[in-house]
Amino acid sequence: MVAHETALALIQLGAVFFGLGLLGRVAARIGMSPIPLYLIGGLVFGTGGLVELRHVDEFIHLASEIGVVLLLLLLGLEYSASELVTGLRRSWAAGVLDIVLNATPGVLVALWLGWGLTGAIAMAGVTYISSSGIVAKVLGDLGRLGNRETPAILSVLVFEDLIMAGYLPVLTAVLAGAGFLAGLQTVGIALAVVTVVLVVALRYGRYVSMIVDSDDREIFLLKLLGSALLVAGVASAMQVSAAVGAFLLGIAISDSTAHNATKILEPLRDLFAALFFVLFGLSTDPASIPPVLGWAVALAVVTAATKVATGWWAAKRLGASRNGRARAGAALVARGEFSIVIAGLAVAAGAVPSEFAALATTYVLLMAIVGPVAARVVEPLLARFEPRPAPA
């Protein structure tokens, strides 16, 4: 009996991996992020879908937790502590505008739907943060990494990531139903941890890098993955959020060690993160999507416009041209991995209604598709509507 169940689990897991590979190939062919297709795959094989995966639930749940840790770890590896501090100083005004314009629609919709303060705080995060992964890929694919407006885009993304380091502990405390004093204590611990890690990263980052570094790839991988899971676990035990712990560890690892760590961890991140997106789709009943589709479309339209406004203003401050401002705004439209992380935390805590998962899934599906498309078509659209010079 056990052997039979193991065989079925291997067959289902193999089918999931192979299916994700096919979906990733389709996404690459049409030039879009695979995240929407992974979510759709989860919807197909989840509750209310065509086929339910009954034998690999526990593995996918654990793998998805590892996926979140690796997503945030590699995000932290992209920045040094000094870059974060510099980015915060340079982009704080644009960052504040970004919060006001893009978190507010999520808050208003959640309150209108009667999801209370908890739903409002969670939905604010879903609509607020752009997808660093999708934005970076789009900029690379379109050859815009050297453009004048790109520093403005990256500064906004850095600010958002830093805000997340404070936001996630707040969300965790709210989802746990902690009282005001307990919540304040959790946030205080989180801010203290963030401050200590930034100071350690600024002054002693090379020592952290030395601890995890190794010339042997196998040893390097084991130390990296082990330290990431240890830090994430300790952070979670301290009510700081495993995701924030992994992000801070990534910041503390610097220079060539960070570069090598990114190269060696990317395949693992892609594998486990894909399972994370699938799991979120699995937990969403497709039948719950039509009732929230109108709200998702409305949110997509409004927050696409507010992200464009954010990027336009941030790029204007750096002296970018009209086209550069439009490119900056369109590049920031996409939502993806972080929005799903936030929604996943809320759904796992059982602190939000089932409609929340459906709205978040539908919204991210729309924005992960619209974002790359908007970045590609913004210049042709501007050229089309640009007034032509009068004939001489």
Side-chain angles (χ1 to χ4, degrees):
M1 189 66 177
V2 174
H4 177 66
E5 290 186 0
T6 302
L8 286 175
L10 289 173
I11 290 169
Q12 288 188 359
L13 196 58
V16 168
F17 284 146
F18 189 75
L20 290 176
L22 293 178
L23 291 174
R25 185 171 183 180
V26 170
R29 282 284 181 89
I30 60 180
M32 65 175 283
S33 165
I35 291 174
L37 298 185
Y38 293 159
L39 289 170
I40 291 171
L43 290 172
V44 170
F45 292 104
T47 305
L50 297 178
V51 182
E52 288 192 37
L53 301 175
R54 299 181 181 277
H55 299 277
V56 291
D57 280 356
E58 289 186 14
F59 175 82
I60 291 181
H61 273 83
L62 181 59
S64 69
E65 293 291 331
I66 296 173
V68 174
V69 169
L70 291 177
L71 274 170
L72 274 294
L73 174 64
L74 267 82
L75 186 62
L77 289 170
E78 292 180 14
Y79 307 116
S80 66
S82 58
E83 285 174 335
L84 277 176
V85 173
T86 302
L88 183 61
R89 288 173 180 165
R90 185 197 303 172
S91 63
W92 70 268
V96 171
L97 179 69
D98 187 20
I99 294 172
V100 173
L101 291 182
N102 295 288
T104 302
V107 171
L108 294 178
V109 167
L111 292 177
W112 181 270
L113 293 174
W115 293 346
L117 180 63
T118 301
I121 292 174
M123 203 64 207
V126 171
T127 59
Y128 162 58
I129 189 162
S130 300
S131 168
S132 299
I134 296 176
V135 173
K137 181 170 174 52
V138 167
L139 291 177
D141 290 346
L142 298 180
R144 295 180 183 170
L145 291 173
N147 284 15
R148 183 165 187 174
E149 74 276 3
T150 300
I153 299 170
L154 297 179
S155 293
V156 170
L157 293 177
V158 169
F159 188 90
E160 288 182 350
D161 294 337
L162 201 55
I163 289 297
M164 281 297 110
Y167 167 82
L168 287 176
V170 173
L171 178 64
T172 303
V174 171
L175 293 175
F180 178 75
L181 290 178
L184 201 62
Q185 182 181 4
T186 299
V187 173
I189 292 172
L191 292 177
V193 170
V194 171
T195 303
V196 168
V197 170
L198 286 176
V199 171
V200 169
L202 280 168
R203 296 190 176 183
Y204 311 107
R206 63 185 183 276
Y207 297 114
V208 177
S209 300
M210 285 171 58
I211 292 170
V212 299
D213 201 4
S214 175
D215 293 329
D216 186 291
R217 285 175 59 86
E218 181 181 347
I219 295 172
F220 188 31
L221 175 60
L222 290 171
K223 289 167 73 176
L224 271 174
L225 190 57
S227 59
L229 295 178
L230 279 170
V231 169
V234 171
S236 183
M238 294 175 64
Q239 302 295 311
V240 176
S241 165
V244 171
F247 178 64
L248 294 174
L249 175 64
I251 293 170
I253 299 172
S254 57
D255 302 327
S256 61
T257 307
H259 177 71
N260 295 334
T262 299
K263 287 173 62 179
I264 202 170
L265 286 174
E266 274 182 342
L268 278 179
R269 176 203 59 187
D270 295 341
L271 172 64
F272 287 106
L275 289 176
F276 168 71
F277 296 124
V278 167
L279 177 66
F280 194 77
L282 288 173
S283 64
T284 305
D285 187 345
S288 65
I289 290 179
V292 299
L293 184 58
W295 285 110
V297 171
L299 270 178
V301 171
V302 171
T303 56
T306 51
K307 277 293 182 184
V308 169
T310 301
W312 181 286
W313 192 74
K316 184 179 180 181
R317 295 186 75 212
L318 292 185
S321 65
R322 181 170 173 266
N323 279 2
R325 296 174 213 165
R327 288 194 298 266
L332 290 170
V333 166
R335 270 61 157 197
E337 62 278 0
F338 233 140
S339 296
I340 295 296
V341 168
I342 293 164
L345 290 173
V347 172
V352 291
S354 58
E355 293 85 358
F356 182 94
L359 179 57
T361 300
T362 311
Y363 173 74
V364 172
L365 277 170
L366 291 172
M367 299 306 281
I369 295 169
V370 169
V373 172
R376 291 172 188 274
V377 304
V378 64
E379 280 191 290
L381 282 176
L382 274 180
R384 194 169 186 177
F385 291 104
E386 214 167 53
R388 295 179 181 176

